[in-house]
Amino acid sequence: PSPFPPPRPPGPPAPTPPASPAPGTAPSGDAPSADLVPPTLAMGRLPGRLASGAFADGIALRVRASEPSALEIAVLVTSRRRSDGRRRQLVLAKKSLELGDGTRVVRLRPRGRLLAGTSPFVVRVAVRATAVAGNDATAVKRIRVTATR
């Protein structure tokens, strides 16, 4: 399951121009085509392993999309099995950025009470970019959080 809500369906396709121009009008240029290609995401380096103390201070992340996009970034962890045998996805930190382009730097600090316990765990940093046309792309990286020594 995705950590983000389902994407909006793309808008209606651009209307097709008439076969011949109406009398008394000049022929128009090419009709604008719908953008069907999702943005590509590049995430900066993240450590593969991080001490829990450093993780509690926060994660700095650089994100670049290939076209102007709104970004949703989340740090997620899957809980241990509950008594009914199911697992739950917990959001430790999240941030949303408005439409923009270029490289953007985000610092995510996990909420303290969700970090209780000393056993190592794995978090996922998920980034979803949504372009102006409604196309979206998701990139995920994993970090193993170890006990502070």
Side-chain angles (χ1 to χ4, degrees):
S2 173
F4 303 109
R8 296 184 313 252
T16 56
S20 63
T25 60
S28 62
D30 293 335
S33 60
D35 179 15
L36 301 176
V37 179
T40 56
L41 282 170
M43 290 172 59
R45 281 192 194 181
L46 284 175
R49 184 176 298 174
L50 199 59
S52 60
F55 178 71
D57 290 340
I59 300 171
L61 176 66
R62 292 166 100 63
V63 180
R64 182 176 47 82
S66 62
E67 56 186 280
S69 304
L71 299 177
E72 296 175 62
I73 303 127
V75 178
L76 308 157
V77 66
T78 303
S79 69
R80 295 179 182 209
R81 286 194 196 281
R82 300 186 308 188
S83 59
D84 60 2
R86 295 172 37 199
R87 292 178 179 249
R88 206 172 87 191
Q89 189 167 270
L90 299 173
V91 178
L92 298 179
K94 66 179 177 179
K95 193 168 276 195
S96 297
L97 300 177
E98 296 295 323
L99 188 69
D101 61 350
T103 301
R104 302 199 258 174
V105 179
V106 179
R107 185 169 196 86
L108 296 164
R109 286 195 172 98
R111 292 179 291 189
R113 65 189 185 125
L114 294 175
L115 297 178
T118 58
S119 61
F121 56 95
V122 176
V123 297
R124 293 185 323 273
V125 179
V127 179
R128 181 164 123 188
T130 305
V132 176
N135 305 328
D136 68 337
T138 305
V140 179
K141 286 197 176 182
R142 294 168 29 130
I143 301 173
R144 181 167 179 79
V145 180
T146 59
T148 305
R149 294 182 181 184

